[in-house]
Amino acid sequence: MYEGIHHVSLLVNDIERSKEFYGETLGFTESPERPAFDFPGAWYQVGSTQIHLIVHNNGKTLRGTTKIDSRDGHFAIRVSNIEAFLKRMNEKGVTLLDKPTNKTEWHQVFIADPDGNIIEFNH
């Protein structure tokens, strides 16, 4: 019955700053499919899933910090080459929490976007 996750929505404060981060820093491809909603936002295609950025200053899910806590709410993106990902993040100056050895069977790397949304990348 379930086919997978269609999209993850994230609240952001500044859409241009967020587009710079998701598009330029992470290298995600912005989707042209986003309708002309009456609020700023952007959609990014990541594999078969989308990430929807939504400007909603009164939203309740903004963490209020960019401190990385791997146990806080987050979603995970599988990468094919964790070393290439780490190299890109280091070149872009992104603060990260690198957990190559942990209780899972995969290498985990956690980052926070400019609004504090935590994303895990793993391999």
Side-chain angles (χ1 to χ4, degrees):
M1 177 168 69
Y2 304 108
E3 296 179 0
I5 295 176
H6 179 266
H7 71 271
V8 173
S9 292
L10 302 174
L11 297 189
V12 300
N13 288 307
D14 180 334
I15 193 60
E16 294 307 319
R17 178 182 69 179
S18 294
K19 287 174 75 169
E20 171 74 21
F21 183 78
Y22 284 88
E24 298 303 319
T25 301
L26 294 179
F28 292 170
T29 301
E30 187 170 358
S31 171
E33 296 177 12
R34 184 180 186 272
F37 293 117
D38 62 352
F39 54 88
W43 290 4
Y44 289 87
Q45 194 68 44
V46 182
S48 62
T49 303
Q50 292 182 343
I51 296 174
H52 294 182
L53 304 180
I54 299 171
V55 175
H56 182 42
N57 295 325
N58 295 322
K60 306 296 184 264
T61 61
L62 288 168
R63 295 175 60 236
T65 181
T66 56
K67 181 180 179 217
I68 301 170
D69 178 350
S70 63
R71 290 177 46 202
D72 208 342
H74 66 276
F75 64 99
I77 296 174
R78 181 72 74 171
V79 297
S80 60
N81 185 330
I82 198 76
E83 296 306 323
F85 173 76
L86 285 166
K87 182 176 187 257
R88 180 183 185 102
M89 293 303 98
N90 288 325
E91 288 172 351
K92 300 287 187 176
V94 175
T95 300
L96 54 86
L97 174 59
D98 188 10
K99 297 174 96 176
T101 305
N102 57 77
K103 295 199 183 254
T104 70
E105 59 189 50
W106 52 84
H107 185 155
Q108 297 173 304
V109 178
F110 294 86
I111 67 168
D113 77 3
D115 291 288
N117 294 300
I118 296 176
I119 308 169
E120 172 188 339
F121 293 83
N122 62 49
H123 174 79

